[in-house]
Amino acid sequence: EAKSSGHGGVIVFSEALGCEARNRMALERELRDAIRDRQFVLHYQPIFSLDKSQRLRGFEALIRWNHPTRGMIDPGTFIPAAEESGLIVFIGDWVLRQGCTAMARLHERLANRYSREDLPFVSINIAPQQFLQPNFAAHVQRVLIETGVPPECLRLEVTEGVAIIDSERTRQVLEEIRAWGVRTSLDDFGTGYSSLSYLQNLPFDTLKIDRSFISSMDDPKSRKIIRAIMDLAGNLNLSVVAEGIETPEQGNALIEMGCEYGQGFHLGRPLDEASAFALIPFDEAA
Ligand code: C2E
Ligand code: MG
Ligand code: MG
Ligand code: MG
């Protein structure tokens, strides 16, 4: 996967412009051009069952900016500016539509080989500002109808940031979306505040354990925290995805702990659409 030139993100822009505020304005202008000129692409990272089947269950869609002169730029470099400027709403709409369109194309190729419940899902990251748009749920429904993706094959990932802004509204939107069968994930769980009251009040289907816990798994404390999160999830009937599995040891330890799903460079990196979807076994109905 191409990186933004080895410079740490925003530095790339500030070198040219010298000053923080003008730098941010220039970045916003470039983001507007990028929306207009369709410079964004989605990569897809596979998510696997960690049971004996080791089956590929779906993909997380991850945005990249294919910049005309700087090459492929990671989201950490531009999502914060997109959020601050409000442009994330437009960019996020594009991601939702593009991810569902791609998944519908894949489903078409799988139609005779896979039963509906075995079809792969696409998991889309939704920024708080996008999620809290007044018409967000209706918009999701429109995209599902227009693309033909079955609701059970769409997952929406939000972070607790959305609940911190407005937890009652978050609950309403989650409930509305889940009523049609769309699954919802709480992303990066264990970082930030991770208030347990969010788990009590908000109807999520899945917890995604933040990769900081997986990368520090050599530390027995980290393992205990992972185990505690998994116990909690099990008791609340939530699925668990471990993010950022980078080594076979981490993968095996998580399998032993009974973790349901896994994602990480060891299992599969984010890939362009064609390469990612080629990971799906086409001939054997799973
Ligand atoms: P995230 O949703 O937690 O996505 C997982 C990130 O971890 C991705 O980084 C992925 O490439 C990376 N990752 C996966 N496995 C491994 C691993 O084994 N080791 C390491 N070191 N990293 C791994 P990426 O693609 O750079 O995305 C970063 C963040 O940007 C995402 O974190 C998400 O918060 C945000 N993002 C990405 N795409 C979108 C989008 O379409 N909309 C919004 N609102 N945010 C997005
Ligand atoms: Mg990255
Ligand atoms: Mg995510
Ligand atoms: Mg995450």
Side-chain angles (χ1 to χ4, degrees):
E1 179 190 354
K3 282 273 135 70
S4 49
S5 79
H7 293 79
V10 178
I11 297 166
V12 176
F13 297 94
S14 59
E15 271 172 359
L17 289 143
C19 136
E20 185 82 25
R22 283 178 59 204
N23 172 16
R24 187 42 72 92
M25 277 169 59
L27 177 51
E28 280 179 29
R29 203 162 46 237
E30 285 206 85
L31 281 172
R32 284 178 208 280
D33 293 346
I35 295 168
R36 189 195 59 210
D37 299 341
R38 302 172 183 276
Q39 292 168 4
F40 296 110
V41 290
L42 289 185
H43 282 186
Y44 295 88
Q45 185 174 32
I47 298 174
F48 292 89
S49 280
L50 289 183
D51 60 12
K52 286 185 290 294
S53 77
Q54 298 278 351
R55 259 184 59 201
L56 199 173
R57 306 310 298 260
F59 299 89
E60 180 173 4
L62 295 161
I63 195 170
R64 277 91 184 88
W65 181 2
N66 192 3
H67 191 281
T69 59
R70 296 193 191 96
M72 210 60 101
I73 303 179
D74 275 351
T77 307
F78 62 89
I79 291 285
E83 289 186 337
E84 250 173 66
S85 60
L87 293 171
I88 192 64
V89 174
F90 299 99
I91 296 171
D93 277 356
W94 176 84
V95 171
L96 178 64
R97 192 169 286 276
Q98 177 68 19
C100 286
T101 303
M103 194 44 61
R105 272 197 298 268
L106 176 63
H107 285 178
E108 227 168 86
R109 290 162 58 200
L110 298 173
N112 299 321
R113 301 181 173 90
Y114 281 65
S115 60
R116 183 164 160 149
E117 58 270 21
D118 284 332
L119 285 171
F121 63 77
V122 63
S123 203
I124 308 269
N125 293 286
I126 306 291
Q129 203 184 343
Q130 183 188 5
F131 188 88
L132 296 171
Q133 288 285 299
N135 53 2
F136 178 71
H139 182 68
V140 172
Q141 191 168 39
R142 194 160 53 238
V143 171
L144 285 173
I145 290 166
E146 284 173 14
T147 59
V149 171
E152 321 84 70
C153 294
L154 175 64
R155 299 184 179 211
L156 300 183
E157 302 190 6
V158 298
T159 61
E160 64 181 12
V162 75
I164 290 170
I165 296 170
D166 189 342
S167 76
E168 179 50 27
R169 173 92 188 120
T170 298
R171 192 186 58 74
Q172 286 166 7
V173 177
L174 287 173
E175 265 171 13
E176 188 172 350
I177 288 168
R178 285 183 82 232
W180 321 320
V182 173
R183 314 275 161 81
T184 58
S185 304
L186 182 53
D187 204 356
D188 303 339
F189 186 75
T191 62
Y193 297 95
S194 295
S195 163
L196 297 179
S197 67
Y198 299 144
L199 294 185
Q200 183 180 11
N201 297 320
L202 301 177
F204 288 105
D205 299 284
T206 301
L207 290 187
K208 297 192 78 170
I209 303 180
D210 190 74
R211 84 174 135 87
S212 55
F213 297 106
I214 313 302
S215 64
S216 60
M217 264 181 92
D218 283 344
D219 179 354
K221 272 192 194 161
S222 275
R223 284 183 196 241
K224 283 179 185 158
I225 291 171
I226 293 169
R227 205 164 264 134
I229 293 173
M230 282 174 34
D231 280 347
L232 183 64
N235 289 327
L236 294 172
N237 266 321
L238 296 164
S239 291
V240 172
V241 179
E243 299 191 292
I245 302 173
E246 291 185 343
T247 69
E249 292 73 29
Q250 291 165 353
N252 289 333
L254 287 160
I255 290 170
E256 253 164 57
M257 289 171 158
C259 185
E260 203 175 354
Y261 300 108
Q263 182 180 356
F265 293 169
H266 167 61
L267 303 171
R269 288 186 174 256
L271 298 168
D272 64 77
E273 179 183 330
S275 311
F277 292 178
L279 297 171
I280 294 274
F282 276 90
D283 295 324
E284 32 171 318

